[in-house]
């Protein structure tokens, strides 16, 4: 089976330009693969490099060694060397990222925040809003809040809007950074269901989940990043 994500020997060192160019090696030798329909959870202590690896896969952090092969329609692209324009293309049609916090655009209604990724990819506003409504409903966001911007929502409500926005697209790769951190048990269970549905659709996922119970519910494989820590 061709992996959706194939990382070989990837490494990242930060150069602190404001501190006389000090070099801060974070990870090295990062090597793992993620197949379609599989959820790999990254584990390891705080500071081991889990978020950095997720950001490398999303192209936010540029690798300075190794390869991050991403299966993108018709080809395998190396994100470690891809041009910024290509990274943006890959994000639009291949890789979704559910960050820990919602970066809400001011004055945009929650339903439109959630529907936007589908509209950008060509779906009509009416159809996209219908899909957004279904997801908000499943995530227990009451309908009276849908027309309000999420800026004043509680932390857990904002996270659920963020999850709905991340899960609404039919992208083949999804990166999840602590998707259940501020959720109650009922909504954590909804996220576990959403992840299971994505697996059935063949989506490849990489997740960071601190909650042991959720980790075991969603992980097909756990990759301990401790061995990739550059300081190890
Ligand atoms: N942009 C950056 N500039 C400088 N150092 C960074 C940057 N991003 C991360 N680091 C450093 O890389 C190391 C790994 O951080 P990272 O956030 O990847 O760890 P983590 O395993 O996700 O930790 P946690 O579980 O606490 O979120 C840390 O020492 C951090 O300070």
């Amino acid at each position: 089976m061709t992996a959706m994500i194939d990382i070989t020997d990837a490494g990242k060192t930060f150069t602190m330009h404001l501190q006389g160019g000090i070099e801060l090696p974070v990870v090295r030798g990062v090597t793992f693969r993620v197949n379609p329909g599989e959820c790999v959870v990254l584990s390891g202590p705080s500071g081991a490099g889990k978020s950095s690896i997720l950001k490398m896969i999303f192209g936010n952090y540029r690798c300075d060694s190794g390869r991050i092969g991403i299966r993108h329609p018709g080809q395998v692209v190396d994100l470690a060397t891809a041009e910024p324009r290509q990274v943006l293309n890959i994000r639009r049609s291949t890789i979704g990222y559910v960050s820990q916090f919602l970066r809400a655009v001011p004055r945009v209604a929650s339903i439109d925040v959630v529907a936007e990724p589908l509209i950008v990819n060509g779906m009509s506003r009416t159809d996209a809003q219908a899909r957004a409504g279904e997801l908000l409903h499943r995530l227990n966001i009451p309908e009276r809040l849908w027309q309000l911007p999420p800026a004043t929502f509680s932390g857990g409500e904002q996270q659920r809007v963020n999850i709905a926005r991340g899960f609404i697209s039919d992208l083949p790769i999804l990166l999840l950074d602590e998707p259940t951190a501020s959720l109650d048990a009922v909504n954590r269970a909804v996220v576990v269901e959403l992840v299971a549905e994505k697996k059935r659709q063949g989506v490849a996922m990489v997740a960071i989940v601190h909650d042991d119970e959720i980790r075991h519910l969603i992980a097909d494989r756990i990759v301990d990043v401790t061995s990739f820590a550059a300081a190890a």
Side-chain angles (χ1 to χ4, degrees), residues 12-16 24-27 43-55 61 100 177-178 208 210 225:
K12 174 76 191 160
T13 294
F14 289 103
T15 306
M16 314 302 279
L24 198 72
V26 176
V27 286
S43 76
S46 177
K50 302 178 293 295
S51 298
S52 299
I53 292 172
L54 220 56
K55 287 174 185 159
Y61 287 174
Q100 216 172 332
D177 190 354
E178 282 285 358
I208 300 174
H210 283 113
V225 311

Side-chain angles (χ1 to χ4, degrees), residues 5-20:
I5 306 172
D6 188 352
I7 311 181
T8 314
D9 233 358
K12 174 76 191 160
T13 294
F14 289 103
T15 306
M16 314 302 279
H17 295 289
L18 297 178
Q19 270 103 34

Side-chain angles (χ1 to χ4, degrees), residues 20-231:
I22 295 174
E23 302 241 298
L24 198 72
V26 176
V27 286
R28 60 175 153 82
V30 178
T31 303
F32 65 92
R33 296 156 65 99
V34 191
N35 289 320
E38 189 180 37
C39 179
V40 167
V41 173
L42 303 180
S43 76
S46 177
K50 302 178 293 295
S51 298
S52 299
I53 292 172
L54 220 56
K55 287 174 185 159
M56 286 155 71
I57 302 172
F58 196 53
N60 266 1
Y61 287 174
R62 201 174 174 81
C63 303
D64 34 41
S65 58
R67 187 172 184 284
I68 298 194
I70 298 291
R71 202 175 349 138
H72 182 57
Q75 53 179 325
V76 175
V77 178
D78 180 8
L79 249 189
T81 52
E83 295 300 325
R85 182 180 295 273
Q86 200 172 21
V87 173
L88 292 179
N89 266 334
I90 291 171
R91 287 182 186 174
R92 196 161 42 239
S93 56
T94 302
I95 308 184
Y97 187 96
V98 183
S99 60
Q100 216 172 332
F101 302 105
L102 178 69
R103 275 178 285 271
V105 186
R107 295 191 295 277
V108 176
S110 300
I111 187 121
D112 292 323
V113 170
V114 176
E116 194 205 347
L118 293 180
I119 295 170
V120 166
N121 274 338
M123 191 182 278
S124 76
R125 187 151 187 256
T126 314
D127 290 349
Q129 282 191 335
R131 290 263 299 268
E134 273 166 36
L135 268 173
L136 287 171
H137 183 67
R138 281 184 73 180
L139 285 156
N140 302 297
I141 300 286
E143 209 165 330
R144 66 185 156 76
L145 296 181
W146 295 2
Q147 296 305 327
L148 300 179
T152 55
F153 289 7
S154 74
E157 286 167 345
Q158 290 194 10
Q159 195 176 26
R160 279 178 277 147
V161 170
N162 200 32
I163 289 165
R165 181 183 159 95
F167 276 83
I168 199 165
S169 309
D170 296 312
L171 302 175
I173 295 175
L174 207 49
L175 308 176
L176 309 171
D177 190 354
E178 282 285 358
T180 55
S182 12
L183 301 188
D184 57 26
V186 170
N187 288 304
R188 282 204 298 272
V190 176
V191 173
V192 171
E193 260 178 40
L194 291 172
V195 170
E197 283 167 23
K198 289 289 183 196
K199 285 187 197 183
R200 287 196 290 276
Q201 292 157 12
V203 175
M205 286 169 279
V206 182
I208 300 174
V209 187
H210 283 113
D211 183 311
D212 270 346
E213 194 192 329
I214 304 292
R215 181 185 309 157
H216 285 103
L217 285 171
I218 69 169
D220 295 297
R221 209 146 41 84
I222 292 179
V223 169
D224 186 347
V225 311
T226 315
S227 58
F228 307 139

